[in-house]
Short mmCIF file of all heavy atoms in Angstrom, two decimals:
data_model
loop_
_atom_site.label_atom_id
_atom_site.label_comp_id
_atom_site.label_asym_id
_atom_site.label_seq_id
_atom_site.Cartn_x
_atom_site.Cartn_y
_atom_site.Cartn_z
N ALA A 31 0.35 8.02 1.68
CA ALA A 31 0.40 7.71 0.24
C ALA A 31 1.48 6.71 -0.09
O ALA A 31 1.34 5.94 -1.02
CB ALA A 31 0.56 8.99 -0.56
N THR A 32 2.55 6.67 0.71
CA THR A 32 3.65 5.78 0.41
C THR A 32 3.45 4.41 1.05
O THR A 32 4.13 3.46 0.69
CB THR A 32 4.99 6.35 0.92
OG1 THR A 32 4.90 6.55 2.34
CG2 THR A 32 5.32 7.67 0.22
N LYS A 33 2.48 4.32 1.95
CA LYS A 33 2.20 3.04 2.61
C LYS A 33 1.52 2.07 1.66
O LYS A 33 0.78 2.50 0.75
CB LYS A 33 1.30 3.32 3.84
CG LYS A 33 1.20 2.17 4.78
CD LYS A 33 0.48 2.58 6.03
CE LYS A 33 0.43 1.43 7.02
NZ LYS A 33 -0.29 1.77 8.24
N GLU A 34 1.76 0.78 1.85
CA GLU A 34 1.09 -0.23 1.03
C GLU A 34 0.19 -1.08 1.87
O GLU A 34 0.43 -1.30 3.08
CB GLU A 34 2.14 -1.11 0.32
CG GLU A 34 2.91 -0.32 -0.73
CD GLU A 34 3.87 -1.21 -1.54
OE1 GLU A 34 4.12 -2.37 -1.15
OE2 GLU A 34 4.35 -0.71 -2.58
N PHE A 35 -0.91 -1.57 1.30
CA PHE A 35 -1.90 -2.32 2.00
C PHE A 35 -2.12 -3.65 1.26
O PHE A 35 -2.18 -3.70 0.05
CB PHE A 35 -3.21 -1.54 2.04
CG PHE A 35 -3.10 -0.25 2.76
CD1 PHE A 35 -2.63 0.89 2.11
CD2 PHE A 35 -3.41 -0.15 4.12
CE1 PHE A 35 -2.49 2.10 2.80
CE2 PHE A 35 -3.27 1.06 4.79
CZ PHE A 35 -2.80 2.17 4.12
N ASP A 36 -2.22 -4.73 2.06
CA ASP A 36 -2.39 -6.07 1.49
C ASP A 36 -3.77 -6.60 1.88
O ASP A 36 -4.29 -6.32 2.96
CB ASP A 36 -1.34 -7.02 2.06
CG ASP A 36 0.06 -6.64 1.65
OD1 ASP A 36 0.30 -6.31 0.50
OD2 ASP A 36 0.94 -6.65 2.55
N ALA A 37 -4.33 -7.44 1.01
CA ALA A 37 -5.56 -8.15 1.31
C ALA A 37 -5.51 -9.50 0.63
O ALA A 37 -4.81 -9.68 -0.37
CB ALA A 37 -6.76 -7.37 0.81
N THR A 38 -6.23 -10.45 1.21
CA THR A 38 -6.31 -11.80 0.60
C THR A 38 -7.77 -12.24 0.56
O THR A 38 -8.61 -11.72 1.30
CB THR A 38 -5.50 -12.84 1.42
OG1 THR A 38 -6.03 -12.91 2.74
CG2 THR A 38 -4.03 -12.49 1.47
N ALA A 39 -8.05 -13.20 -0.30
CA ALA A 39 -9.37 -13.81 -0.40
C ALA A 39 -9.21 -15.26 -0.74
O ALA A 39 -8.16 -15.69 -1.22
CB ALA A 39 -10.20 -13.09 -1.47
N GLY A 40 -10.28 -16.02 -0.49
CA GLY A 40 -10.24 -17.45 -0.80
C GLY A 40 -9.19 -18.20 0.00
O GLY A 40 -8.54 -19.11 -0.52
N GLY A 41 -9.02 -17.83 1.26
CA GLY A 41 -8.04 -18.51 2.09
C GLY A 41 -6.62 -18.33 1.64
O GLY A 41 -5.78 -19.20 1.79
N GLY A 42 -6.35 -17.18 1.03
CA GLY A 42 -5.02 -16.85 0.56
C GLY A 42 -4.78 -17.22 -0.90
O GLY A 42 -3.69 -17.06 -1.42
N ALA A 43 -5.84 -17.69 -1.57
CA ALA A 43 -5.70 -18.05 -2.98
C ALA A 43 -5.45 -16.83 -3.86
O ALA A 43 -4.79 -16.94 -4.90
CB ALA A 43 -6.95 -18.79 -3.46
N ILE A 44 -5.96 -15.68 -3.45
CA ILE A 44 -5.78 -14.42 -4.15
C ILE A 44 -5.18 -13.43 -3.16
O ILE A 44 -5.63 -13.32 -2.03
CB ILE A 44 -7.11 -13.86 -4.65
CG1 ILE A 44 -7.91 -14.89 -5.47
CG2 ILE A 44 -6.90 -12.55 -5.44
CD1 ILE A 44 -7.44 -15.09 -6.87
N SER A 45 -4.16 -12.69 -3.59
CA SER A 45 -3.65 -11.60 -2.74
C SER A 45 -3.44 -10.38 -3.62
O SER A 45 -3.10 -10.46 -4.81
CB SER A 45 -2.34 -12.01 -2.05
OG SER A 45 -1.32 -12.23 -2.98
N VAL A 46 -3.69 -9.23 -2.99
CA VAL A 46 -3.58 -7.93 -3.69
C VAL A 46 -2.80 -6.97 -2.80
O VAL A 46 -2.93 -6.98 -1.59
CB VAL A 46 -4.99 -7.35 -3.96
CG1 VAL A 46 -4.89 -5.93 -4.48
CG2 VAL A 46 -5.73 -8.20 -4.96
N LYS A 47 -1.98 -6.16 -3.45
CA LYS A 47 -1.24 -5.10 -2.75
C LYS A 47 -1.54 -3.77 -3.46
O LYS A 47 -1.47 -3.68 -4.68
CB LYS A 47 0.26 -5.38 -2.82
CG LYS A 47 1.09 -4.37 -2.05
CD LYS A 47 2.57 -4.70 -2.15
CE LYS A 47 2.84 -5.92 -1.34
NZ LYS A 47 4.25 -6.24 -1.17
N VAL A 48 -1.99 -2.77 -2.66
CA VAL A 48 -2.30 -1.47 -3.21
C VAL A 48 -1.55 -0.41 -2.43
O VAL A 48 -1.18 -0.63 -1.26
CB VAL A 48 -3.81 -1.14 -3.19
CG1 VAL A 48 -4.60 -2.10 -4.05
CG2 VAL A 48 -4.36 -1.08 -1.80
N THR A 49 -1.34 0.74 -3.05
CA THR A 49 -0.66 1.86 -2.36
C THR A 49 -1.74 2.70 -1.67
O THR A 49 -2.93 2.55 -1.92
CB THR A 49 0.11 2.77 -3.33
OG1 THR A 49 -0.84 3.41 -4.19
CG2 THR A 49 1.07 1.97 -4.18
N GLY A 50 -1.30 3.61 -0.84
CA GLY A 50 -2.18 4.55 -0.19
C GLY A 50 -2.87 5.51 -1.16
O GLY A 50 -3.84 6.17 -0.81
N GLU A 51 -2.37 5.54 -2.38
CA GLU A 51 -3.00 6.34 -3.44
C GLU A 51 -3.96 5.51 -4.27
O GLU A 51 -4.41 5.92 -5.33
CB GLU A 51 -1.93 6.94 -4.34
CG GLU A 51 -1.05 7.94 -3.60
CD GLU A 51 0.07 8.48 -4.47
OE1 GLU A 51 0.59 7.73 -5.34
OE2 GLU A 51 0.41 9.65 -4.29
N LYS A 52 -4.27 4.28 -3.79
CA LYS A 52 -5.21 3.37 -4.43
C LYS A 52 -4.76 2.91 -5.79
O LYS A 52 -5.53 2.70 -6.71
CB LYS A 52 -6.61 3.96 -4.49
CG LYS A 52 -7.22 4.23 -3.13
CD LYS A 52 -8.64 4.75 -3.25
CE LYS A 52 -9.20 5.00 -1.88
NZ LYS A 52 -10.57 5.50 -1.94
N VAL A 53 -3.44 2.69 -5.92
CA VAL A 53 -2.88 2.13 -7.14
C VAL A 53 -2.57 0.65 -6.85
O VAL A 53 -1.87 0.34 -5.90
CB VAL A 53 -1.58 2.88 -7.56
CG1 VAL A 53 -0.93 2.20 -8.74
CG2 VAL A 53 -1.89 4.32 -7.85
N ILE A 54 -3.10 -0.23 -7.69
CA ILE A 54 -2.85 -1.65 -7.50
C ILE A 54 -1.40 -1.93 -7.92
O ILE A 54 -1.03 -1.66 -9.06
CB ILE A 54 -3.84 -2.52 -8.31
CG1 ILE A 54 -5.27 -2.26 -7.81
CG2 ILE A 54 -3.50 -4.00 -8.21
CD1 ILE A 54 -6.33 -2.88 -8.67
N LYS A 55 -0.62 -2.47 -7.01
CA LYS A 55 0.77 -2.77 -7.26
C LYS A 55 1.01 -4.23 -7.66
O LYS A 55 1.92 -4.53 -8.40
CB LYS A 55 1.62 -2.46 -6.02
CG LYS A 55 1.62 -1.02 -5.60
CD LYS A 55 2.42 -0.13 -6.50
CE LYS A 55 3.86 -0.37 -6.25
NZ LYS A 55 4.75 0.52 -6.96
N GLU A 56 0.15 -5.11 -7.14
CA GLU A 56 0.39 -6.52 -7.35
C GLU A 56 -0.88 -7.33 -7.13
O GLU A 56 -1.65 -7.02 -6.22
CB GLU A 56 1.45 -6.97 -6.33
CG GLU A 56 1.85 -8.40 -6.34
CD GLU A 56 2.92 -8.65 -5.31
OE1 GLU A 56 4.11 -8.50 -5.64
OE2 GLU A 56 2.57 -8.97 -4.15
N ILE A 57 -1.12 -8.30 -8.00
CA ILE A 57 -2.18 -9.29 -7.81
C ILE A 57 -1.53 -10.65 -7.99
O ILE A 57 -0.87 -10.92 -8.97
CB ILE A 57 -3.32 -9.13 -8.83
CG1 ILE A 57 -4.00 -7.77 -8.66
CG2 ILE A 57 -4.32 -10.28 -8.72
CD1 ILE A 57 -5.10 -7.52 -9.68
N LYS A 58 -1.68 -11.52 -6.97
CA LYS A 58 -1.17 -12.88 -7.05
C LYS A 58 -2.33 -13.85 -7.00
O LYS A 58 -3.21 -13.69 -6.16
CB LYS A 58 -0.19 -13.16 -5.88
CG LYS A 58 1.12 -12.41 -6.03
CD LYS A 58 2.08 -12.84 -4.95
CE LYS A 58 3.40 -12.11 -5.09
NZ LYS A 58 4.35 -12.51 -4.04
N ILE A 59 -2.31 -14.84 -7.90
CA ILE A 59 -3.34 -15.84 -7.94
C ILE A 59 -2.68 -17.23 -7.89
O ILE A 59 -1.81 -17.53 -8.72
CB ILE A 59 -4.17 -15.71 -9.25
CG1 ILE A 59 -4.78 -14.30 -9.34
CG2 ILE A 59 -5.23 -16.81 -9.35
CD1 ILE A 59 -5.44 -14.01 -10.69
N GLN A 60 -3.09 -18.03 -6.90
CA GLN A 60 -2.57 -19.40 -6.83
C GLN A 60 -3.10 -20.22 -8.01
O GLN A 60 -4.26 -20.10 -8.37
CB GLN A 60 -2.98 -20.04 -5.49
CG GLN A 60 -2.48 -19.29 -4.27
CD GLN A 60 -0.97 -19.32 -4.17
OE1 GLN A 60 -0.32 -20.35 -4.45
NE2 GLN A 60 -0.39 -18.19 -3.77
N LYS A 61 -2.26 -21.07 -8.55
CA LYS A 61 -2.64 -21.86 -9.73
C LYS A 61 -3.86 -22.74 -9.48
O LYS A 61 -4.68 -22.92 -10.38
CB LYS A 61 -1.46 -22.72 -10.18
CG LYS A 61 -0.35 -21.95 -10.80
CD LYS A 61 0.79 -22.85 -11.24
CE LYS A 61 1.92 -22.02 -11.82
NZ LYS A 61 3.01 -22.85 -12.32
N ASP A 62 -3.98 -23.26 -8.29
CA ASP A 62 -5.06 -24.22 -8.00
C ASP A 62 -6.47 -23.55 -7.97
O ASP A 62 -7.46 -24.25 -8.01
CB ASP A 62 -4.81 -25.02 -6.73
CG ASP A 62 -4.66 -24.12 -5.50
OD1 ASP A 62 -4.24 -22.97 -5.67
OD2 ASP A 62 -4.96 -24.59 -4.39
N VAL A 63 -6.53 -22.23 -7.90
CA VAL A 63 -7.80 -21.56 -7.88
C VAL A 63 -8.31 -21.21 -9.28
O VAL A 63 -9.45 -20.87 -9.49
CB VAL A 63 -7.75 -20.29 -7.00
CG1 VAL A 63 -7.07 -19.15 -7.71
CG2 VAL A 63 -9.12 -19.85 -6.56
N VAL A 64 -7.43 -21.37 -10.27
CA VAL A 64 -7.80 -21.11 -11.67
C VAL A 64 -8.50 -22.33 -12.25
O VAL A 64 -7.91 -23.35 -12.51
CB VAL A 64 -6.57 -20.72 -12.52
CG1 VAL A 64 -6.96 -20.44 -13.95
CG2 VAL A 64 -5.84 -19.52 -11.91
N ASP A 65 -9.81 -22.19 -12.44
CA ASP A 65 -10.63 -23.27 -12.99
C ASP A 65 -11.38 -22.73 -14.19
O ASP A 65 -12.27 -21.90 -14.07
CB ASP A 65 -11.61 -23.77 -11.94
CG ASP A 65 -12.50 -24.91 -12.44
OD1 ASP A 65 -12.39 -25.31 -13.60
OD2 ASP A 65 -13.34 -25.38 -11.64
N PRO A 66 -11.04 -23.18 -15.40
CA PRO A 66 -11.70 -22.67 -16.61
C PRO A 66 -13.20 -22.88 -16.62
O PRO A 66 -13.96 -22.19 -17.28
CB PRO A 66 -11.05 -23.46 -17.76
CG PRO A 66 -9.85 -24.08 -17.19
CD PRO A 66 -10.02 -24.16 -15.72
N GLU A 67 -13.65 -23.82 -15.78
CA GLU A 67 -15.10 -24.11 -15.70
C GLU A 67 -15.81 -23.19 -14.70
O GLU A 67 -17.05 -23.19 -14.65
CB GLU A 67 -15.33 -25.59 -15.29
CG GLU A 67 -14.72 -26.59 -16.24
CD GLU A 67 -15.31 -26.53 -17.63
OE1 GLU A 67 -16.54 -26.40 -17.74
OE2 GLU A 67 -14.53 -26.63 -18.62
N ASP A 68 -15.06 -22.45 -13.94
CA ASP A 68 -15.67 -21.58 -12.90
C ASP A 68 -14.97 -20.22 -12.86
O ASP A 68 -14.43 -19.80 -11.84
CB ASP A 68 -15.60 -22.27 -11.55
CG ASP A 68 -16.55 -21.60 -10.53
OD1 ASP A 68 -17.27 -20.66 -10.90
OD2 ASP A 68 -16.51 -22.03 -9.35
N VAL A 69 -14.99 -19.54 -13.99
CA VAL A 69 -14.35 -18.22 -14.09
C VAL A 69 -15.03 -17.21 -13.16
O VAL A 69 -14.36 -16.35 -12.60
CB VAL A 69 -14.37 -17.74 -15.56
CG1 VAL A 69 -13.86 -16.31 -15.69
CG2 VAL A 69 -13.57 -18.69 -16.43
N GLU A 70 -16.33 -17.35 -12.97
CA GLU A 70 -17.08 -16.41 -12.14
C GLU A 70 -16.55 -16.41 -10.69
O GLU A 70 -16.46 -15.35 -10.07
CB GLU A 70 -18.57 -16.71 -12.14
CG GLU A 70 -19.24 -16.45 -13.47
CD GLU A 70 -19.07 -17.61 -14.48
OE1 GLU A 70 -18.63 -18.71 -14.11
OE2 GLU A 70 -19.33 -17.35 -15.67
N MET A 71 -16.20 -17.59 -10.16
CA MET A 71 -15.65 -17.64 -8.82
C MET A 71 -14.35 -16.86 -8.71
O MET A 71 -14.11 -16.13 -7.77
CB MET A 71 -15.45 -19.08 -8.37
CG MET A 71 -14.91 -19.15 -6.92
SD MET A 71 -14.03 -20.64 -6.47
CE MET A 71 -12.73 -20.74 -7.67
N LEU A 72 -13.50 -17.03 -9.71
CA LEU A 72 -12.21 -16.35 -9.70
C LEU A 72 -12.43 -14.83 -9.78
O LEU A 72 -11.77 -14.06 -9.07
CB LEU A 72 -11.34 -16.83 -10.87
CG LEU A 72 -9.97 -16.18 -11.03
CD1 LEU A 72 -9.13 -16.39 -9.78
CD2 LEU A 72 -9.24 -16.78 -12.25
N GLN A 73 -13.35 -14.41 -10.64
CA GLN A 73 -13.66 -12.97 -10.72
C GLN A 73 -14.16 -12.43 -9.41
O GLN A 73 -13.75 -11.36 -8.97
CB GLN A 73 -14.71 -12.75 -11.83
CG GLN A 73 -14.20 -13.04 -13.22
CD GLN A 73 -15.30 -13.07 -14.25
OE1 GLN A 73 -16.48 -13.30 -13.97
NE2 GLN A 73 -14.92 -12.88 -15.50
N ASP A 74 -15.06 -13.20 -8.73
CA ASP A 74 -15.59 -12.75 -7.44
C ASP A 74 -14.49 -12.66 -6.39
O ASP A 74 -14.45 -11.70 -5.59
CB ASP A 74 -16.66 -13.70 -6.95
CG ASP A 74 -17.95 -13.59 -7.75
OD1 ASP A 74 -18.13 -12.57 -8.48
OD2 ASP A 74 -18.79 -14.53 -7.66
N LEU A 75 -13.55 -13.62 -6.38
CA LEU A 75 -12.47 -13.58 -5.42
C LEU A 75 -11.54 -12.36 -5.64
O LEU A 75 -11.13 -11.72 -4.68
CB LEU A 75 -11.62 -14.84 -5.50
CG LEU A 75 -12.24 -16.11 -4.92
CD1 LEU A 75 -11.38 -17.32 -5.22
CD2 LEU A 75 -12.44 -15.98 -3.39
N ILE A 76 -11.28 -12.06 -6.90
CA ILE A 76 -10.44 -10.90 -7.23
C ILE A 76 -11.15 -9.60 -6.80
O ILE A 76 -10.54 -8.74 -6.16
CB ILE A 76 -10.07 -10.88 -8.73
CG1 ILE A 76 -9.16 -12.05 -9.06
CG2 ILE A 76 -9.42 -9.55 -9.10
CD1 ILE A 76 -8.94 -12.27 -10.53
N LEU A 77 -12.42 -9.48 -7.11
CA LEU A 77 -13.19 -8.29 -6.72
C LEU A 77 -13.22 -8.14 -5.19
O LEU A 77 -12.99 -7.02 -4.68
CB LEU A 77 -14.61 -8.36 -7.24
CG LEU A 77 -14.80 -8.06 -8.72
CD1 LEU A 77 -16.24 -8.31 -9.13
CD2 LEU A 77 -14.43 -6.63 -9.02
N THR A 78 -13.46 -9.22 -4.49
CA THR A 78 -13.51 -9.18 -3.02
C THR A 78 -12.17 -8.73 -2.47
O THR A 78 -12.10 -7.86 -1.58
CB THR A 78 -13.86 -10.59 -2.47
OG1 THR A 78 -15.14 -10.93 -2.93
CG2 THR A 78 -13.84 -10.59 -0.94
N CYS A 79 -11.11 -9.28 -3.00
CA CYS A 79 -9.76 -8.97 -2.52
C CYS A 79 -9.39 -7.52 -2.79
O CYS A 79 -8.87 -6.82 -1.92
CB CYS A 79 -8.76 -9.94 -3.18
SG CYS A 79 -7.17 -9.98 -2.40
N VAL A 80 -9.62 -7.04 -3.99
CA VAL A 80 -9.29 -5.64 -4.38
C VAL A 80 -10.12 -4.70 -3.51
O VAL A 80 -9.58 -3.70 -2.96
CB VAL A 80 -9.50 -5.41 -5.85
CG1 VAL A 80 -9.43 -3.91 -6.19
CG2 VAL A 80 -8.49 -6.17 -6.68
N ASN A 81 -11.41 -4.95 -3.36
CA ASN A 81 -12.25 -4.05 -2.58
C ASN A 81 -11.85 -4.05 -1.12
O ASN A 81 -11.87 -3.00 -0.46
CB ASN A 81 -13.74 -4.45 -2.73
CG ASN A 81 -14.28 -4.06 -4.08
OD1 ASN A 81 -13.89 -3.06 -4.65
ND2 ASN A 81 -15.24 -4.84 -4.58
N ASP A 82 -11.42 -5.18 -0.56
CA ASP A 82 -10.94 -5.22 0.82
C ASP A 82 -9.68 -4.37 0.99
O ASP A 82 -9.53 -3.65 1.95
CB ASP A 82 -10.68 -6.68 1.22
CG ASP A 82 -10.33 -6.81 2.69
OD1 ASP A 82 -10.94 -6.09 3.51
OD2 ASP A 82 -9.49 -7.65 3.02
N ALA A 83 -8.77 -4.49 0.03
CA ALA A 83 -7.55 -3.67 0.11
C ALA A 83 -7.86 -2.19 0.03
O ALA A 83 -7.28 -1.39 0.78
CB ALA A 83 -6.59 -4.09 -1.03
N LEU A 84 -8.79 -1.80 -0.84
CA LEU A 84 -9.15 -0.39 -0.97
C LEU A 84 -9.85 0.10 0.31
O LEU A 84 -9.67 1.26 0.73
CB LEU A 84 -10.05 -0.18 -2.19
CG LEU A 84 -9.36 -0.43 -3.53
CD1 LEU A 84 -10.34 -0.29 -4.67
CD2 LEU A 84 -8.17 0.47 -3.74
N LYS A 85 -10.65 -0.76 0.96
CA LYS A 85 -11.27 -0.37 2.21
C LYS A 85 -10.21 -0.13 3.30
O LYS A 85 -10.36 0.76 4.13
CB LYS A 85 -12.23 -1.45 2.68
CG LYS A 85 -13.55 -1.48 1.90
CD LYS A 85 -14.45 -2.60 2.36
CE LYS A 85 -15.64 -2.73 1.46
NZ LYS A 85 -16.51 -3.86 1.86
N LYS A 86 -9.15 -0.90 3.27
CA LYS A 86 -8.07 -0.72 4.23
C LYS A 86 -7.39 0.63 4.01
O LYS A 86 -7.05 1.32 4.99
CB LYS A 86 -7.02 -1.84 4.12
CG LYS A 86 -7.55 -3.15 4.66
CD LYS A 86 -6.50 -4.23 4.51
CE LYS A 86 -7.02 -5.56 5.11
NZ LYS A 86 -5.99 -6.62 5.04
N VAL A 87 -7.25 1.04 2.76
CA VAL A 87 -6.68 2.37 2.46
C VAL A 87 -7.61 3.44 3.00
O VAL A 87 -7.15 4.37 3.68
CB VAL A 87 -6.48 2.56 0.95
CG1 VAL A 87 -6.05 3.98 0.64
CG2 VAL A 87 -5.44 1.58 0.40
N ASP A 88 -8.90 3.31 2.74
CA ASP A 88 -9.87 4.32 3.21
C ASP A 88 -9.88 4.40 4.74
O ASP A 88 -9.90 5.50 5.30
CB ASP A 88 -11.29 3.98 2.73
CG ASP A 88 -11.48 4.22 1.25
OD1 ASP A 88 -10.67 4.97 0.64
OD2 ASP A 88 -12.42 3.65 0.68
N ALA A 89 -9.80 3.27 5.41
CA ALA A 89 -9.80 3.26 6.87
C ALA A 89 -8.55 3.92 7.42
O ALA A 89 -8.61 4.69 8.39
CB ALA A 89 -9.90 1.83 7.39
N ALA A 90 -7.42 3.66 6.79
CA ALA A 90 -6.15 4.29 7.24
C ALA A 90 -6.20 5.79 7.02
O ALA A 90 -5.73 6.56 7.87
CB ALA A 90 -4.97 3.67 6.52
N GLN A 91 -6.76 6.21 5.89
CA GLN A 91 -6.85 7.65 5.61
C GLN A 91 -7.81 8.33 6.59
O GLN A 91 -7.53 9.43 7.05
CB GLN A 91 -7.32 7.88 4.16
CG GLN A 91 -6.24 7.55 3.16
CD GLN A 91 -6.73 7.66 1.73
OE1 GLN A 91 -7.92 7.71 1.44
NE2 GLN A 91 -5.78 7.68 0.78
N ALA A 92 -8.92 7.68 6.91
CA ALA A 92 -9.87 8.23 7.87
C ALA A 92 -9.25 8.35 9.24
O ALA A 92 -9.43 9.35 9.97
CB ALA A 92 -11.13 7.38 7.93
N GLN A 93 -8.45 7.36 9.62
CA GLN A 93 -7.77 7.37 10.91
C GLN A 93 -6.74 8.53 10.94
O GLN A 93 -6.63 9.22 11.96
CB GLN A 93 -7.09 6.04 11.17
CG GLN A 93 -6.46 5.93 12.53
CD GLN A 93 -5.85 4.56 12.77
OE1 GLN A 93 -5.58 3.81 11.83
NE2 GLN A 93 -5.63 4.23 14.02
N GLU A 94 -6.03 8.71 9.85
CA GLU A 94 -5.05 9.80 9.77
C GLU A 94 -5.74 11.15 9.88
O GLU A 94 -5.28 12.04 10.59
CB GLU A 94 -4.32 9.73 8.44
CG GLU A 94 -2.87 9.34 8.36
CD GLU A 94 -1.97 9.63 9.54
OE1 GLU A 94 -1.50 10.75 9.70
OE2 GLU A 94 -1.69 8.68 10.26
N LEU A 95 -6.84 11.31 9.12
CA LEU A 95 -7.56 12.58 9.19
C LEU A 95 -8.17 12.82 10.53
O LEU A 95 -8.35 13.96 10.95
CB LEU A 95 -8.66 12.61 8.11
CG LEU A 95 -8.17 12.85 6.68
CD1 LEU A 95 -9.35 12.76 5.69
CD2 LEU A 95 -7.48 14.22 6.54
N GLY A 96 -8.54 11.78 11.25
CA GLY A 96 -9.12 11.90 12.55
C GLY A 96 -8.16 12.49 13.59
O GLY A 96 -8.61 13.01 14.62
N LYS A 97 -6.88 12.45 13.28
CA LYS A 97 -5.90 13.03 14.18
C LYS A 97 -5.98 14.55 14.17
O LYS A 97 -5.55 15.20 15.12
CB LYS A 97 -4.49 12.61 13.77
CG LYS A 97 -4.20 11.14 13.97
CD LYS A 97 -2.79 10.82 13.52
CE LYS A 97 -2.47 9.36 13.70
NZ LYS A 97 -1.12 9.04 13.21
N TYR A 98 -6.52 15.10 13.09
CA TYR A 98 -6.62 16.55 12.96
C TYR A 98 -8.06 16.98 13.20
O TYR A 98 -8.93 16.62 12.43
CB TYR A 98 -6.16 17.00 11.57
CG TYR A 98 -4.80 16.45 11.20
CD1 TYR A 98 -4.65 15.37 10.31
CD2 TYR A 98 -3.64 16.97 11.76
CE1 TYR A 98 -3.44 14.86 9.99
CE2 TYR A 98 -2.39 16.47 11.45
CZ TYR A 98 -2.30 15.42 10.54
OH TYR A 98 -1.06 14.90 10.24
N ASN A 99 -8.28 17.70 14.23
CA ASN A 99 -9.61 18.17 14.57
C ASN A 99 -9.81 19.57 13.96
O ASN A 99 -9.55 20.56 14.62
CB ASN A 99 -9.82 18.18 16.07
CG ASN A 99 -11.25 18.45 16.45
OD1 ASN A 99 -12.13 18.48 15.61
ND2 ASN A 99 -11.49 18.68 17.72
N ILE A 100 -10.29 19.57 12.73
CA ILE A 100 -10.48 20.85 12.04
C ILE A 100 -11.98 21.16 12.06
O ILE A 100 -12.77 20.47 11.41
CB ILE A 100 -9.96 20.78 10.62
CG1 ILE A 100 -8.48 20.42 10.58
CG2 ILE A 100 -10.21 22.10 9.86
CD1 ILE A 100 -7.92 20.08 9.24
N PRO A 101 -12.39 22.20 12.78
CA PRO A 101 -13.84 22.53 12.84
C PRO A 101 -14.43 22.78 11.46
O PRO A 101 -13.81 23.45 10.61
CB PRO A 101 -13.87 23.79 13.68
CG PRO A 101 -12.55 23.79 14.42
CD PRO A 101 -11.58 23.08 13.55
N GLY A 102 -15.60 22.21 11.23
CA GLY A 102 -16.29 22.45 9.98
C GLY A 102 -15.89 21.51 8.85
O GLY A 102 -16.51 21.49 7.79
N LEU A 103 -14.83 20.72 9.07
CA LEU A 103 -14.38 19.81 8.00
C LEU A 103 -15.25 18.61 7.94
O LEU A 103 -15.58 18.11 6.86
CB LEU A 103 -12.93 19.40 8.23
CG LEU A 103 -12.29 18.53 7.15
CD1 LEU A 103 -12.32 19.23 5.79
CD2 LEU A 103 -10.87 18.15 7.49
N MET A 104 -15.67 18.08 9.08
CA MET A 104 -16.47 16.86 9.09
C MET A 104 -17.74 17.08 9.86
O MET A 104 -17.93 17.75 10.72
CB MET A 104 -15.68 15.72 9.68
CG MET A 104 -14.50 15.39 8.88
SD MET A 104 -14.06 13.71 9.09
CE MET A 104 -12.50 13.65 8.29
#
């Protein structure tokens, strides 16, 4: 829960940091990716980046739980 996970999208144009509790701590957007004529692209990059970071949290949690072999749990 105290670990943080990073993800990027658009070749590093967007970066997101989330905690192991799936709390978004930081979103960084490079100025050159902000185009008022193409807001949809920016929205897609942010969604992709946030979802990737959350998947990393899920993968880390699954790996942690995999260490414990509790019959009937999975």
Side-chain angles (χ1 to χ4, degrees):
T32 59
K33 194 171 182 182
E34 292 186 347
F35 299 83
D36 297 314
T38 61
I44 308 282
S45 64
V46 171
K47 184 180 289 190
V48 298
T49 68
E51 295 176 327
K52 297 183 180 180
V53 174
I54 298 171
K55 298 287 286 187
E56 179 178 271
I57 296 176
K58 290 186 179 180
I59 302 171
Q60 299 295 320
K61 289 181 182 183
D62 59 332
V63 77
V64 179
D65 180 0
E67 301 297 319
D68 195 3
V69 174
E70 291 82 13
M71 181 203 56
L72 180 58
Q73 292 169 337
D74 289 343
L75 286 173
I76 293 169
L77 284 174
T78 298
C79 195
V80 169
N81 286 329
D82 186 37
L84 294 176
K85 285 179 188 176
K86 289 180 178 182
V87 173
D88 288 340
Q91 288 175 345
Q93 186 178 18
E94 250 332 279
L95 284 176
K97 293 179 181 178
Y98 307 104
N99 189 9
I100 302 170
L103 182 60
M104 297 207 189

